[in-house]
């Protein structure tokens, strides 16, 4: 081989070829897999929403068990009766509401002229109506989000939380049953005042038997993630308060 | 004769014991601290690193004669990053739940200094087969330590293994907890990973005096 690999021109040509080849491989792979990734993301969202309202395979396990991906679309149509979009006080029906990107909406909402679109799902399980809203906030390392199912008096029926990159074993436990189950039965309203639910330290009620204290027991070692959950619930659910007032 | 010659077999066995990337070379400590609070992520990380390191070492080895030495570090970085993105994308499309569980770990592979270290120290100067063995061997050596640390941290910190409550229930006070045993919350925090790694180094060096430097 007579190529002088030390020459500048060779280095530049090599770098260019390398970048083009790698770029082509990754771009091809990404666009080839995109439909599958998108479908997976859609199913996941449906599973999460159904999980929050109690449609899941949790019975008899201590793990988070979603309903299987294969049936999630038909189950979603079965349990979710209505999907609404609330925009500036106007409530309109929209059967694609679950696809609204909460992150984009909250970025757009920084513009004072933009009225944020708020998705809301009404599900029906065992003859009871539940109202499910998405929430999104910040944890320690990255985004955290979830869905909260409530009755019309804003008492929590179930929650689902997820995170992008919280610490395994610590903050990442917000998506474990022992944490999420504590929220069930907690109230968000004190009379007419919106209190939210605080992820509180101090271990004063570890089995979470007191349901009207607006607090759940925090996870040791994950203060900032817990505070993130508190803030997320307070900020995002509050936006729906005026809608819930029209229900009663 | 076995499958591998004696020299080749050493490429696998050395990093597992006397030339372990974590306990002897003290590389890859950052990821060893970050993800070993539980056993499962430790094992998953070990498997992912075995894949990236095996393939990456072969790719670098095949390209070793054409890589300009001035930009070789960047070339290595591109190879690792590309492999990691491929793994990430394929998992997202075909094993979505698994990819969710791994979340940050996949990205963390890029930051693992053992990978760049092996590319630089071995793959650039050796053929593809030997580079492959070296990659697998070092990734195994890394993985073994990860799993040992993860085992102790999850057992002593949370009283579970793979999420199963092996010591009884800490809230209901059953099993060991009925006798007054308590989980050591410190074990789930990163500093304890460093101490556990330190203990492993201590045990290893006291068993093999040749490893002790002056």
């Amino acid at each position: 081989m007579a190529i002088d690999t030390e020459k500048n021109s060779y280095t530049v040509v090599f770098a260019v070829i390398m970048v083009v080849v790698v770029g082509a491989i990754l771009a091809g792979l990404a666009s080839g897999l995109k439909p599958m990734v998108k479908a997976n993301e859609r199913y996941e969202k449906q599973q999460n929403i159904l999980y929050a309202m109690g449609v899941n395979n949790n019975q008899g396990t201590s793990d988070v068990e979603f309903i299987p991906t294969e049936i999630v679309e038909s189950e979603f149509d079965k349990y979710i009766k209505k999907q609404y979009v609330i925009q500036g006080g106007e409530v309109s029906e929209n059967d694609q509401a679950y696809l609204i990107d909460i992150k984009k909406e909250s970025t757009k909402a920084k513009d004072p002229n933009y009225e944020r679109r708020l998705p809301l799902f009404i599900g029906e399980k065992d003859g009871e109506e539940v109202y499910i809203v998405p929430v999104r906030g910040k944890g320690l390392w990255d985004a955290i989000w979830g869905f909260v199912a409530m009755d019309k008096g804003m008492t929590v029926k179930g929650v689902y939380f997820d995170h992008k990159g919280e610490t395994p074993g610590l903050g990442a436990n917000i998506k474990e049953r022992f944490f999420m189950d504590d929220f069930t039965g907690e109230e968000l309203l004190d009379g007419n005042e919106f209190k939210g639910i605080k992820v509180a330290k101090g271990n004063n009620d570890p089995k979470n038997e007191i349901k009207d204290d607006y607090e759940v027991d925090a996870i040791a070692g994950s203060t900032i993630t817990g505070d993130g959950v508190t803030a997320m619930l307070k900020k995002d659910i509050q936006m729906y308060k005026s809608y819930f007032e029209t229900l009663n | 004769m076995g499958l591998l010659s004696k020299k080749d077999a050493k490429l696998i066995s050395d990093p597992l014991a006397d030339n372990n990337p974590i306990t002897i070379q003290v590389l890859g400590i950052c990821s060893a601290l970050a993800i070993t609070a539980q056993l499962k992520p430790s094992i998953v990380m070990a498997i992912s690193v075995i894949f990236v390191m095996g393939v990456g070492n072969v790719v670098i080895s095949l390209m070793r004669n054409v890589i300009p030495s001035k930009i070789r570090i960047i070339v290595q970085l591109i190879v690792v990053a590309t492999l990691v993105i491929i793994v990430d994308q394929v998992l997202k499309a075909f094993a979505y739940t698994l990819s969710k569980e791994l979340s940050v770990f996949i990205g963390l592979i890029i930051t693992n200094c053992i990978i760049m270290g092996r590319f630089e120290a071995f793959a650039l100067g050796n053929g593809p087969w030997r580079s492959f063995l070296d990659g697998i061997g070092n990734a195994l050596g890394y993985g073994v330590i990860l799993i040992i640390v993860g085992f102790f941290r999850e057992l002593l910190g949370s009283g579970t293994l793979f999420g199963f409550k092996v010591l009884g229930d800490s809230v209901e006070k059953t099993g060991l907890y009925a006798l007054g045993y308590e989980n050591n919350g410190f074990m789930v925090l990163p500093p304890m990973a460093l101490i556990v790694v330190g203990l492993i180094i201590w045990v290893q060096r006291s068993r093999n005096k040749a490893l002790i430097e002056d």
Side-chain angles (χ1 to χ4, degrees), chain A residues 5-6 8 10-11 14-15 18 22 26 29-30 33 36-37 40-41 44 145 162 164-165 168-170 207, chain B residues 37-38 65-71 75 78-79 82 85-86 89-90 92-94 96 100 103-105 171 188:
Chain A
T5 57
E6 293 306 311
N8 282 344
Y10 176 82
T11 307
F14 183 91
M18 178 105 193
V22 167
L26 291 183
L29 188 79
L33 297 177
M36 283 176 255
V37 176
N40 282 334
E41 282 169 2
E44 188 201 4
W145 61 90
D162 205 346
K164 190 167 178 199
L170 299 171
K207 287 186 185 166
Chain B
Q38 283 168 326
N65 293 325
V66 293
I67 298 176
S69 61
K70 272 178 258 177
I71 57 165
V75 172
I78 291 175
V79 170
T82 311
I85 295 170
I86 291 175
Q89 289 286 325
V90 169
K92 264 196 190 138
F94 298 106
Y96 194 73
K100 286 278 295 179
S103 62
V104 284
F105 306 136
V171 179
V188 293

Side-chain angles (χ1 to χ4, degrees), chain A:
Chain A
M1 291 246 266
I3 315 166
D4 177 10
T5 57
E6 293 306 311
K7 253 173 45 187
N8 282 344
S9 54
Y10 176 82
T11 307
V12 172
V13 170
F14 183 91
V16 170
I17 293 175
M18 178 105 193
V19 168
V20 170
V21 169
V22 167
I25 293 175
L26 291 183
L29 188 79
S31 54
L33 297 177
K34 199 172 181 185
M36 283 176 255
V37 176
K38 282 271 173 227
N40 282 334
E41 282 169 2
R42 215 173 55 236
Y43 294 148
E44 188 201 4
K45 230 170 176 178
Q46 294 182 335
Q47 281 174 325
N48 291 173
I49 294 171
L50 290 176
Y51 183 94
M53 69 176 280
V55 181
N56 49 45
N57 288 354
N58 271 349
Q59 294 74 22
T61 69
S62 59
D63 293 329
V64 171
E65 298 284 350
F66 296 113
I67 52 171
T69 321
E70 297 78 42
I71 60 162
V72 68
E73 265 180 311
S74 58
E75 293 290 284
F76 191 75
D77 292 340
K78 191 169 118 198
Y79 283 102
I80 300 296
K81 298 295 175 195
K82 287 206 171 78
Q83 299 189 42
Y84 287 124
V85 176
I86 306 169
Q87 192 168 23
E90 296 281 314
V91 183
S92 53
E93 213 167 318
N94 181 342
D95 62 356
Q96 297 291 308
Y98 77 102
L99 293 174
I100 290 176
D101 189 335
I102 309 297
K103 188 181 170 192
K104 277 191 194 147
E105 288 300 315
S106 71
T107 321
K108 278 199 218 159
K110 284 181 189 137
D111 175 1
N113 297 320
Y114 182 80
E115 280 290 353
R116 186 173 170 169
R117 292 189 298 162
L118 301 169
L120 174 105
F121 321 105
I122 300 183
E124 199 182 305
K125 197 193 167 211
D126 307 329
E128 246 183 282
E129 272 198 335
V130 280
Y131 300 81
I132 306 153
V133 303
V135 289
R136 189 178 170 95
K138 281 199 276 288
L140 170 61
W141 304 113
D142 215 318
I144 53 176
W145 61 90
F147 293 93
V148 178
M150 294 166 279
D151 66 9
K152 60 183 178 181
M154 294 189 106
T155 301
V156 175
K157 290 282 159 194
V159 296
Y160 179 76
F161 295 130
D162 205 346
H163 62 93
K164 190 167 178 199
E166 298 308 298
T167 320
L170 299 171
N173 284 345
I174 58 165
K175 62 182 293 190
E176 293 294 331
R177 285 279 296 281
F178 71 81
F179 182 70
M180 295 196 293
D181 288 357
D182 279 3
F183 284 84
T184 308
E186 290 282 340
E187 290 167 9
L188 286 154
L189 286 179
D190 179 10
N192 205 22
E193 188 197 351
F194 185 87
K195 296 275 261 197
I197 299 172
K198 188 169 189 288
V199 179
K201 297 209 282 186
N203 206 33
N204 44 15
D205 181 19
K207 287 186 185 166
N208 196 48
E209 281 150 349
I210 312 161
K211 288 293 184 188
D212 55 0
D213 60 352
Y214 311 100
E215 282 183 357
V216 294
D217 196 26
I219 304 165
S222 46
T223 309
I224 296 176
T225 312
D227 289 351
V229 173
T230 308
M232 161 173 94
L233 293 176
K234 186 149 197 174
K235 187 172 85 17
D236 280 12
I237 303 180
Q238 198 157 24
M239 294 189 292
Y240 290 87
K241 187 173 169 253
S242 53
Y243 173 81
F244 279 90
E245 278 165 1
T246 66
L247 294 172
N248 294 314

Side-chain angles (χ1 to χ4, degrees), chain B residues 3-43:
Chain B
L3 187 63
L4 304 168
S5 71
K6 217 172 190 173
K7 220 167 120 200
D8 285 350
K10 258 185 99 61
L11 288 174
I12 298 257
S13 63
D14 257 10
L16 280 175
D18 293 349
N19 200 11
N20 188 287
I22 294 187
T23 62
I24 307 299
Q25 298 170 16
V26 199
L27 290 174
I29 293 289
C30 9
S31 53
L33 301 193
I35 58 143
T36 49
Q38 283 168 326
L39 194 51
K40 199 162 126 194
S42 314
I43 291 177

